[in-house]
Amino acid sequence: MNHSYWQPWSLRELVDALAAGTTTPAEALRRSRGRIAETDPELRAWVELAPGTDPATDGPLGGVPLAVKDIIDVAGLPTRCGSQLRADAVAAEADAAIVAAWRRAGAVPVGKAVTTEFAYFAPGPTRNPAAPDHTPGGSSSGSAAAVAAGQVPLALGSQTAGSVTRPAAFCGVASLVLGHGRFPVDGVTGLSPSLDSHGVLAAGVSDLALAWSALAGDPDPGLEAGRPPRLLLWTARPLGVEPRMTAALTSACSRLRAAGAVIDEFPEEQLAAQVTAAHPVIMAYEAARERAAELAVAPQLSPQLATLLKTGAATSEHDYEAALRTAAEAGTRLAELLADYDAVLGPAALGPAPARLAATGDPVLSRAWQALGLPAVCVPGMRTDAGLPLGLQLVGARRREAELLAVGCWVEAALRG
């Protein structure tokens, strides 16, 4: 197994170096482009690089190189959405709202990272830096690979099912899925308005905490010492979690308890299963309407996307509304539970990245939380005996990203310690 491409670049270390003057935005950009030139012929994480980028110097991230998933508009670059239907797309005239927000924080878009076709299941060409013969996951495959390979210290993704959490887990990096509606989605080619959320990927949770502080203007959650958290353990065994992941989760819980965490059993496995089943109904119904133009040319789509859109077109409004009610009722119950706990802890994926490139893995462990619109953090650091990355998942209360990141930083440090 070849691990030579796995070399994440710490955002926190770069920002400290920029602040100290030991590096400059121009040097950071040169490092990014140099690493891309060195590794991307094999990894293929990028669709197109921005020409002649002038590093920004304002904002707390002043000059940090940023990858942007290719369903998100960047002024001057086309948005092709991983689809031949968009092969001749013209350059966007303006940044997506989320890209504009990151620019204000000082990040510099280096280019567009590979996405699966319209952010669904048909994989792009990207390989996994941690294990090049294994899938990098999807749909934010290019973003996860670019961070895992050290091509950039920060990347933007999006999640409708498990499109950020799963690639992060497979590639051995950290991710934050923002709660639904936390930032505008203007300029993003979406799939399901009730489910689409922004995502961020970085080397570690501490890096995500710094990024969140820069984006949202909150105090840096990574600098909060914090008390040991109270967690609800969600094993998700009925959903098909592999023994290697179950063993990693059990080991992690032992280490976290030894460090002072309180970990109780998640009491609503059946409720989570019901929301997991409701999610694809919502997704298919809305995707058929959001991507109606693509449905009209279904023979030109991948079988995966064509099936999703046709399924959604055949889904009744009654079934769709019932699925929405299931999610709403579960959301009320989960809010009650999380009033007494800091987060739900569980596996981020069923296991390590599968040894194939023709599929992106199963997003089932993210479906419930995505249907509920809750923020989620993938904590890297666990590995199989063969060295494949395994990610853990923390899910927090609505609009509590900063608090969730503080918990994630504590968990990350305890697992390392």
Side-chain angles (χ1 to χ4, degrees):
M1 187 186 305
N2 184 349
H3 294 287
S4 62
Y5 295 102
W6 192 82
Q7 190 178 312
W9 181 3
S10 169
L11 174 67
R12 193 171 287 277
E13 289 179 5
L14 173 59
V15 170
D16 287 347
L18 288 166
T22 56
T23 193
T24 67
E27 289 169 344
L29 182 60
R30 282 196 295 272
R31 172 175 168 175
S32 174
R33 289 188 177 275
R35 184 65 177 164
I36 292 169
E38 175 189 357
T39 60
D40 214 55
E42 174 74 13
L43 296 179
R44 303 178 69 185
W46 296 86
V47 177
E48 186 166 347
L49 298 178
T53 302
D54 181 21
T57 55
D58 294 332
L61 299 180
V64 167
L66 174 73
V68 181
K69 183 179 181 177
D70 195 27
I71 64 166
I72 305 170
D73 288 349
V74 173
L77 295 177
T79 301
R80 297 193 177 97
C81 301
S83 171
Q84 288 300 312
L85 297 179
R86 301 286 182 93
D88 298 324
V90 300
E93 295 183 359
D95 288 330
I98 192 67
V99 173
W102 283 107
R103 281 198 202 267
R104 288 192 296 272
V108 180
V110 173
K112 304 299 284 294
V114 169
T115 176
T116 62
E117 180 195 35
F118 286 102
Y120 196 54
F121 283 160
T126 305
R127 300 172 79 90
N128 187 332
D133 292 332
H134 294 242
T135 178
S139 60
S140 304
S141 48
S143 296
V147 168
Q151 296 174 343
V152 290
L154 190 65
L156 304 190
S158 68
Q159 180 154 299
T160 307
S163 292
V164 170
T165 301
R166 189 168 81 264
F170 286 173
C171 292
V173 297
S175 68
L176 167 66
V177 178
L178 279 62
H180 186 259
R182 199 66 165 90
F183 279 83
V185 293
D186 308 43
V188 179
T189 302
L191 200 59
S192 174
S194 294
L195 304 173
D196 295 339
S197 297
H198 294 299
V200 193
L201 299 103
V205 182
S206 176
D207 300 300
L208 292 174
L210 175 61
W212 174 259
S213 175
L215 178 68
D218 289 342
D220 184 348
L223 301 181
E224 300 291 328
R227 56 170 173 76
R230 292 175 55 83
L231 303 172
L232 285 168
L233 175 61
W234 177 58
T235 64
R237 286 194 185 93
L239 298 176
V241 176
E242 296 180 23
R244 289 175 292 180
M245 178 61 82
T246 298
L249 183 61
T250 300
S251 173
C253 286
S254 295
R255 291 157 70 180
L256 297 178
R257 286 187 172 111
V262 173
I263 305 178
D264 294 329
E265 181 179 350
F266 179 69
E268 293 288 359
E269 288 275 3
Q270 184 59 39
L271 185 64
Q274 292 170 358
V275 186
T276 297
H279 174 279
V281 177
I282 298 168
M283 185 174 178
Y285 182 92
E286 293 188 353
R289 287 144 185 86
E290 188 78 358
R291 301 265 63 86
E294 287 73 31
L295 176 59
V297 292
Q300 300 180 49
L301 303 175
S302 67
Q304 298 98 315
L305 183 57
T307 298
L308 173 75
L309 299 184
K310 290 175 182 177
T311 299
T315 300
S316 70
E317 185 175 359
H318 175 272
D319 288 347
Y320 168 64
E321 291 179 348
L324 289 176
R325 283 196 299 273
T326 296
E329 291 166 3
T332 300
R333 173 59 180 145
L334 262 294
E336 294 171 353
L337 280 175
L338 287 170
D340 295 322
Y341 291 87
D342 296 297
V344 175
L345 168 67
L350 294 176
R356 59 182 184 272
L357 298 174
T360 62
D362 194 332
V364 66
L365 298 188
S366 293
R367 288 191 185 274
W369 317 118
Q370 200 63 25
L372 299 175
L374 301 178
V377 165
C378 176
V379 182
M382 307 294 284
R383 289 192 175 259
T384 68
D385 291 341
L388 293 172
L390 293 167
L392 302 181
Q393 181 174 200
L394 292 164
V395 181
R398 188 179 296 274
R399 301 189 71 83
R400 300 293 292 273
E401 283 86 354
E403 292 86 345
L404 182 63
L405 285 165
V407 173
C409 289
W410 189 95
V411 168
E412 181 175 65
L415 292 178
R416 285 177 178 170

